[in-house]
């Protein structure tokens, strides 16, 4: 069974640009969560999508958005990039919603975004 | 909202010894705690889940405990090997916000 696939692996952008990251979950998994990881802040929850609906959102500005398609694949978009957006963006899939009693996360390798 | 803390940023021990990592949480007990391993440049990998009504859980050389009185989970690696060197993260469900939140991690180094 293929794991969680994230593309691209590395990305370099300049301030003010926008970026779209892609995530394909494990087959059969319906929940996709996104996390931002930086050395100073650790893993910070961005949002979770389940059945094409955003179920929860972390404390990030509206420049961060996402969506999920009917095949459970998900995209994350960041508009008007800032230097502080440089981070490893991780996508994780799980079988069901994170409110479940037994949900564990399966992570992709992430997209390393550098904003210059 | 609930918090989860891993007080040790780094831990260095000798091969063959038992590594013990600590995770503390605030507010009420979560339904479960999870432990993940993360290698540099990779996403975290799930290792173990322990429920609030379980005192201890084992998987090969790994052991996790859950103490609701101390609001703490301990993660042990027995007979540690250099290949166990990685960052270990604990996580809990933040039930008020329906998300899984992570501690800052402990970077474990096993020297030969």
């Amino acid at each position: 069974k293929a794991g969680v696939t994230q593309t691209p692996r590395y990305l370099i952008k300049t301030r003010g640009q926008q970026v779209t990251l892609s995530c394909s979950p494990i087959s059969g998994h319906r929940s996709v969560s996104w996390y931002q990881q930086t050395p100073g802040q650790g893993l910070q929850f961005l949002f979770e999508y389940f059945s094409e609906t955003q179920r929860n959102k972390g404390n990030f500005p509206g420049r961060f958005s996402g969506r999920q398609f009917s095949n459970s694949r998900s995209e994350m978009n960041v508009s008007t990039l800032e230097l502080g957006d440089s981070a490893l963006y991780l996508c994780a899939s799980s079988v069901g919603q994170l409110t479940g009693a037994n949900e564990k996360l399966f992570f992709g390798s992430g997209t390393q975004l550098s904003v210059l | 909202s609930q918090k989860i803390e891993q007080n040790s940023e780094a831990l260095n021990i000798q091969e063959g010894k038992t590594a013990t990592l600590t995770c503390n949480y605030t507010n009420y007990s979560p339904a479960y705690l999870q432990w993940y391993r993360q290698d540099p440049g990779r996403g975290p990998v799930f290792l173990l889940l322990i429920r609030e009504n379980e005192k201890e859980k084992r998987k090969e050389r790994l052991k996790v405990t859950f103490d609701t009185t101390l609001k703490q989970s301990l993660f042990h690696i027995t007979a540690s090997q250099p290949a166990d060197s990685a960052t270990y993260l604990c996580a809990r469900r933040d039930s008020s916000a329906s998300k899984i939140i992570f501690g800052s991690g402990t970077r474990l180094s096993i020297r030969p």
Side-chain angles (χ1 to χ4, degrees):
Chain A
K1 208 174 197 181
V4 177
T5 304
Q6 289 189 248
T7 56
R9 186 75 177 90
Y10 301 95
L11 207 48
I12 299 175
K13 292 285 188 178
T14 56
R15 279 184 304 174
Q17 286 187 309
Q18 68 97 25
V19 66
T20 299
L21 312 181
S22 179
C23 172
S24 292
I26 292 172
S27 177
H29 285 195
R30 296 171 62 193
S31 169
V32 173
S33 301
W34 288 89
Y35 287 82
Q36 181 196 66
Q37 187 174 36
T38 58
Q41 296 296 317
L43 270 165
Q44 299 291 312
F45 174 80
L46 280 156
F47 27 65
E48 181 204 5
Y49 285 88
F50 182 80
S51 294
E52 302 178 63
T53 302
Q54 187 180 93
R55 299 294 172 165
N56 194 22
K57 187 171 171 26
N59 295 325
F60 281 83
R63 300 184 297 107
F64 292 81
S65 63
R67 59 178 174 168
Q68 186 181 34
F69 303 95
S70 58
N71 61 358
S72 292
R73 191 178 71 85
S74 178
E75 288 182 347
M76 190 191 95
N77 185 76
V78 187
S79 62
T80 320
L81 284 165
E82 300 178 358
L83 295 179
D85 296 334
S86 295
L88 179 66
Y89 289 89
L90 291 160
C91 161
S93 75
S94 59
V95 174
Q97 275 186 265
L98 296 183
T99 51
N102 195 29
E103 292 311 321
K104 48 184 179 268
L105 298 174
F106 294 83
F107 284 87
S109 292
T111 294
Q112 183 66 55
L113 172 65
S114 297
V115 182
L116 306 178
Chain B
S1 62
Q2 296 92 38
K3 289 187 179 178
I4 192 160
E5 294 171 348
Q6 294 179 257
N7 296 329
S8 297
E9 189 175 320
L11 183 63
N12 299 301
I13 67 167
Q14 185 148 23
E15 182 177 8
K17 301 290 186 186
T18 296
T20 299
L21 284 64
T22 304
C23 177
N24 295 290
Y25 60 88
T26 62
N27 296 350
Y28 57 88
S29 288
Y32 59 74
L33 286 166
Q34 300 179 350
W35 285 87
Y36 290 78
R37 168 185 172 142
Q38 185 174 24
D39 291 286
R42 313 294 294 181
V45 174
F46 173 81
L47 295 174
L48 282 167
L49 179 153
I50 184 167
R51 300 190 185 288
E52 128 182 77
N53 61 353
E54 297 174 317
K55 289 280 191 282
E56 180 181 299
K57 200 113 178 238
R58 291 175 184 262
K59 179 184 175 183
E60 297 173 353
R61 293 184 296 110
L62 309 180
K63 184 179 86 171
V64 175
T65 62
F66 194 158
D67 188 326
T68 55
T69 302
L70 295 178
K71 295 192 175 183
Q72 182 179 85
S73 174
L74 298 179
F75 176 83
H76 306 273
I77 304 176
T78 58
S80 60
Q81 305 165 1
D84 295 326
S85 298
T87 295
Y88 291 85
L89 302 156
C90 68
R92 67 168 290 171
R93 182 160 61 95
D94 183 333
S95 57
S96 66
S98 301
K99 61 185 180 184
I100 292 178
I101 58 175
F102 286 81
S104 53
T106 296
R107 188 172 64 254
L108 177 64
S109 298
I110 310 296
R111 60 181 185 275

